[in-house]
Amino acid sequence: NAWGEKYPHYENDTNLPLRISQMDKLELINAPLCFEGGAFCVDGEGTLLTTESVVLNSNRNPGLDKWEAEKYLKYYLGIKKVIWLRRGLCSDETDGHVDNLAAFVAPGVVVALTCSDLSDENYDALKENLAILGRETDAQGRSLKVVQIEQPDPIFNGAKRLTASYINFYFVNNAILAPVFGQSKDTQAIDAIKQVAQSRKVIPFQANDLIVGGGAIHCVTQQWPI
């Protein structure tokens, strides 16, 4: 519903699932949840990452509590455990998509955005998310290996701070397309992703234009498992 009905004229979006199901002869399942692809990340072994600020938001799922949300997620996505982060980046118009905060790069391995500047608006939220990941286990009972990636320096479009994150990357075939922003921090971020990318090639690309629209490459794409 356009990130909590923030934008008009999204009604035609509801036709897309039907068209895809007809085109590829797939069963269409109407789940009783409203949230977006950028709102969750899975490890392929039963664990899902998401945020309270999106899934439990009254602008998407009024009255929904964690227990009910987890019941739906487990049933419709086949996962066994939900790891809840609380909130997202200060400027994120999606209310805190997890694809800007943390993502699995392999089972048991999470890359997470961090902030070392105590005066930054994102400091408290990112510190809290890191603490949650540090004490959580996945669906297999493993403690998570958390790889920290410092957030980019603030980027503005006029007076508006844009939602810039190195975590908003995209898996494609044997590669990872990773956003960079023309900053000195880019190199450290790409190196950190390379260390845990296993056999995948990490390909950086300039994402400054994309984030003006509210997100990076994970936001404008969707993985299609085959």
Side-chain angles (χ1 to χ4, degrees):
N1 67 348
W3 303 283
E5 299 184 343
K6 292 184 176 66
Y7 301 97
H9 312 305
Y10 61 83
E11 292 84 359
N12 285 336
D13 291 355
T14 58
N15 297 324
L16 184 59
L18 177 61
R19 292 178 61 185
I20 292 174
S21 68
Q22 292 173 338
M23 180 176 64
D24 279 9
K25 297 180 175 59
L26 298 170
E27 179 185 3
L28 180 64
I29 299 172
N30 289 308
L33 279 176
C34 179
F35 74 142
E36 306 83 31
F40 70 100
C41 174
V42 293
D43 67 349
E45 293 190 358
T47 315
L48 180 143
L49 272 173
T50 191
T51 57
E52 296 179 22
S53 59
V54 171
V55 181
L56 306 182
N57 199 314
S58 61
N59 64 13
R60 288 172 174 81
N61 302 297
L64 189 73
D65 61 28
K66 275 188 180 181
W67 179 86
E68 192 174 19
E70 290 192 12
K71 180 182 70 173
Y72 290 143
L73 292 169
K74 289 175 181 178
Y75 179 79
Y76 287 100
L77 295 178
I79 54 99
K80 298 176 181 177
K81 179 169 183 178
V82 180
I83 297 176
W84 293 92
L85 303 183
R86 288 204 55 220
R87 51 192 169 136
L89 300 180
C90 63
S91 54
D92 192 348
E93 59 199 306
T94 70
D95 301 305
H97 271 183
V98 78
D99 64 0
N100 283 320
L101 305 173
F104 287 106
V105 289
V109 183
V110 175
V111 292
L113 199 68
T114 62
C115 175
S116 59
D117 182 358
L118 276 67
S119 65
D120 190 280
E121 295 173 284
N122 291 322
Y123 178 83
D124 289 339
L126 295 181
K127 181 180 179 181
E128 181 179 37
N129 289 339
L130 198 63
I132 292 170
L133 293 170
R135 62 176 179 259
E136 278 285 1
T137 56
D138 63 16
Q140 308 300 319
R142 297 170 294 208
S143 297
L144 300 175
K145 176 183 178 182
V146 182
V147 178
Q148 300 182 32
I149 297 181
E150 178 76 10
Q151 70 171 1
D153 293 329
I155 302 172
F156 292 87
N157 182 25
K160 179 184 178 182
R161 182 171 178 174
L162 300 177
T163 307
S165 172
Y166 294 115
I167 311 300
N168 203 297
F169 48 67
Y170 178 65
F171 287 95
V172 53
N173 298 335
N174 295 315
I176 296 176
L177 305 183
V180 292
F181 305 97
Q183 301 182 6
S184 59
K185 292 181 178 179
D186 293 351
T187 301
Q188 289 181 325
I190 295 300
D191 287 346
I193 297 172
K194 284 180 178 179
Q195 289 177 16
V196 291
Q198 298 180 328
S199 60
R200 293 180 184 269
K201 181 179 181 181
V202 179
I203 304 173
F205 75 98
Q206 290 289 330
N208 296 67
D209 290 340
L210 272 180
I211 62 172
V212 174
I217 193 166
H218 189 268
C219 301
V220 296
T221 53
Q222 183 58 60
Q223 296 93 332
W224 193 273
I226 55 174

